[in-house]
């Protein structure tokens, strides 16, 4: 019987336990899922921050660490972790992110806030341009970014996608590298940030790059808080060059009560709810990776430690 260690906090245990047991049963695997297996008996680790597995050296029998999080920046640099590490690519999370991004892109594109907040009885019609006339740039073309970019393209927006390495996605203009970033941002009216947290992506939206966007552009960040230079964004908002920023992720979470974003009239703060793993679908991903490991097949969604994701 396979021993699977669940190394995450108690809230995650309550949320995932039954879903994992059901997913394991569906594969026909005999598993013993617990939070307290002895390290030298563990075959697989299901991981999220907050668990007991901090030093991976004693897990000599373990075949892989399977993260419940899409982001692995809290574990990938652990020097004791030499096992294969798989990040979470959950179809439920992808669907949720597509809905969040499309919802806020359409909100800004259509100028919905103007009417939602209207209380002055003023009859002042405003007509948005067609989607075809609103260029959107998506920074990050991983699973989430690609799905969002393709969904937006399906709504008629001209989409430019940018990634650190070259990608080719049907229906999208795909750019990469430093020069590609400048071309991707030039004239963009809506920018969606879905990059991972790496040394190369931190503060990728700074005073220089924000200035490359179209005047009156909108920024939507459901990716990572460190992607934005906060002081530069606030300055761009104050000047009017950026019309509005919808931010779901922050360098410090929860966002401190005295942070300028809370009171800024051109900022929407959402409390890191753009998307999350869904227990049922995430458990199926974990179970499938364990099934593959036991069948001698390569694990999927393995992390490239040099790239950090």
């Amino acid at each position: 019987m396979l021993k699977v260690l669940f190394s995450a906090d108690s809230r995650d245990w309550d949320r995932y336990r039954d879903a994992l047991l059901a997913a394991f049963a569906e594969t026909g695997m005999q598993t013993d899922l617990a939070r307290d297996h002895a390290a030298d008996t563990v075959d697989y680790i299901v991981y999220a921050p907050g668990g007991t597995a901090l030093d991976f050296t004693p897990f000599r029998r373990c075949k892989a660490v399977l993260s419940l999080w899409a982001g692995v920046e809290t574990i990938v640099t652990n020097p004791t972790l030499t096992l294969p590490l798989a990040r979470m690519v959950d179809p439920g999370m992808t669907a949720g992110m597509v809905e969040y991004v499309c919802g806020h892109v359409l909100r800004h594109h259509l100028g919905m806030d103007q009417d939602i907040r209207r209380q002055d009885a003023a009859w002042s019609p405003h007509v948005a341009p067609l989607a075809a006339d609103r260029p959107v740039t998506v920074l990050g073309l991983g699973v989430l970014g690609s799905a969002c970019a393709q969904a937006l393209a399906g709504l008629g927006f001209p989409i430019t996608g940018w990634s650190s390495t070259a990608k080719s996605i049907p229906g999208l203009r795909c750019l990469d590298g430093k020069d590609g970033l400048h071309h991707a941002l030039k004239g963009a009216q809506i920018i969606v940030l879905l990059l991972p947290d790496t040394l190369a992506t931190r503060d990728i939206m700074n005073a220089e790059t924000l200035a490359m966007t179209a005047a009156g552009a909108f920024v939507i960040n459901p990716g990572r808080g460190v992607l934005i230079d906060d002081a530069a964004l606030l300055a761009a908002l104050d000047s009017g060059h950026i019309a509005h920023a919808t931010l779901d992720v922050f360098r410090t979470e929860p966002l401190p009560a005295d942070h300028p974003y809370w009171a800024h009239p051109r900022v929407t703060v959402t409390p890191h709810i753009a998307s999350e793993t869904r227990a049922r679908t995430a458990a199926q991903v974990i179970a499938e990776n364990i099934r593959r490991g036991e069948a001698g097949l390569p694990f999927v969604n393995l992390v490239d430690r040099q790239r950090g994701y």
Side-chain angles (χ1 to χ4, degrees), residues 107-252:
R107 165 197 166 202
H108 293 311
H109 166 63
L110 296 172
M112 294 171 70
D113 288 3
Q114 181 173 333
D115 294 318
I116 291 170
R117 297 173 179 172
R118 188 187 305 283
Q119 294 180 320
D120 55 7
W123 187 266
S124 52
H126 59 98
V127 178
L130 293 174
D133 298 318
R134 179 87 72 181
V136 176
T137 289
V138 178
L139 300 187
L141 291 175
V143 173
L144 297 178
S146 296
C148 291
Q150 289 174 307
L152 291 168
L155 292 171
F157 292 98
I159 302 297
T160 298
W162 180 87
S163 55
S164 58
T165 56
K167 297 282 180 71
S168 179
I169 301 172
L172 305 183
R173 175 190 182 217
C174 297
L175 302 175
D176 62 275
K178 184 175 181 180
D179 289 342
L181 177 64
H182 296 172
H183 287 298
L185 292 174
K186 185 177 181 181
Q189 294 183 24
I190 300 178
I191 303 92
V192 180
L193 305 178
L194 281 167
L195 290 161
D197 173 7
T198 69
L199 290 175
T201 62
R202 290 174 189 172
D203 292 329
I204 195 167
M205 295 307 296
N206 51 50
E208 179 186 6
T209 51
L210 286 166
M212 296 175 185
T213 64
F218 302 93
V219 173
I220 301 170
N221 185 17
R224 294 287 184 268
V226 297
L227 302 177
I228 292 177
D229 178 332
D230 292 334
L233 177 58
L234 286 165
L237 288 162
D238 289 340
S239 73
H241 183 76
I242 299 297
H244 199 100
T246 294
L247 309 174
D248 186 61
V249 286
F250 308 92
R251 292 173 184 269
T252 300

